[in-house]
Amino acid sequence: MISEYQQQLRERFVSVPEIPPPAPWRPVLSRRNPIGGLLGIGFAVAPDTGHDLVMVVSVDGHGLFDTLTGEKIARDRDPELDDCTPDAVPDLSCPGLGPIAGTRVRIAGLFGGGLHTTTSDGWSLEVVSPEWPHHRVLLSTDGGMPHRGPHGDRWWHIFDSDYSELRTAGFSPSGRTLAVATSSDLTLWTRRTAEAGPTGSADA
């Protein structure tokens, strides 16, 4: 049995459509970029540009992408056996590649871990399952649950993982990138550092 309050929340989340995140967020490349057998992702920073980078770990190896342009920067199709998946080490990390070689990147996904769920300027992200086992990703600026205001005003249902297993969802440490990863694809949104966040302050 679920409570009346829980039933109301469920009905609210089921009733709203999936919509894009509001400005200043913009999509990076096409939505739901296919990556078969995706296991997890993690964030790093490009040493030459300061851009957010996202490292993708899949059954086909490791890849590194610039989250501002979507460009694939590096690829390792045959990583060392001890480093091919993050569960081989206690901190769930894998060795960086390309411009971040020599560092390790913590990976969130199938084996555990997590990404940032808030930013310093007021954005927050939640994963809900009103139709379990499917997951929905909610972006908000209203402080989080229970999202009493109108959908599309200060909270947005931005992703419905009703076709594939959700691996992880969250922000980069800088707050400039928002990512949703499933077992079959990766979706990214970005915002420029000069753009204002929901509180009206400039993004750091």
Side-chain angles (χ1 to χ4, degrees):
M1 293 289 292
I2 64 173
S3 68
E4 181 179 354
Y5 171 73
Q6 290 172 318
Q7 181 64 27
Q8 289 173 351
L9 281 180
R10 180 185 180 278
E11 291 174 356
R12 181 180 308 151
F13 296 148
V14 168
S15 69
V16 296
E18 179 182 335
I19 60 176
W25 298 102
R26 64 171 181 82
V28 179
L29 294 182
S30 62
R31 180 166 167 75
R32 297 182 178 177
N33 301 294
I35 300 176
L38 190 152
L39 302 176
I41 65 171
F43 286 107
V45 177
D48 54 344
T49 64
H51 290 182
D52 285 340
L53 304 177
V54 63
M55 180 172 170
V56 178
V57 175
S58 75
V59 296
D60 292 325
H62 300 170
L64 189 69
F65 297 83
D66 185 315
T67 66
L68 191 62
T69 65
E71 177 188 2
K72 183 185 292 184
I73 298 173
R75 184 81 163 92
D76 184 354
R77 296 185 181 276
D78 190 26
E80 295 291 332
L81 183 62
D82 290 343
D83 291 317
C84 63
T85 59
D87 59 323
V89 293
D91 66 353
L92 299 177
S93 68
C94 286
L97 63 164
I100 57 169
T103 66
R104 296 190 69 88
V105 179
R106 291 187 177 182
I107 304 298
L110 179 64
F111 300 107
L115 304 177
H116 289 248
T117 57
T118 61
T119 69
S120 61
D121 60 344
W123 296 96
S124 63
L125 198 74
E126 295 166 318
V127 175
V128 298
S129 304
E131 296 180 302
W132 191 89
H134 304 311
H135 297 85
R136 296 181 177 209
V137 181
L138 308 180
L139 177 68
S140 68
T141 60
D142 62 1
M145 300 279 273
H147 306 302
R148 298 190 185 280
H151 177 245
D153 181 14
R154 298 193 66 192
W155 69 283
W156 302 263
H157 167 212
I158 64 168
F159 195 96
D160 196 342
S161 183
D162 58 357
Y163 63 95
S164 195
E165 292 182 11
L166 184 73
R167 290 289 187 244
T168 190
F171 301 101
S172 62
S174 71
R176 297 191 299 261
T177 304
L178 171 55
V180 179
T182 76
S183 58
S184 61
D185 51 50
L186 174 66
T187 300
L188 297 172
W189 295 271
T190 186
R191 56 177 178 156
R192 293 194 303 270
T193 56
E195 292 173 319
T199 61
S201 59
D203 194 5

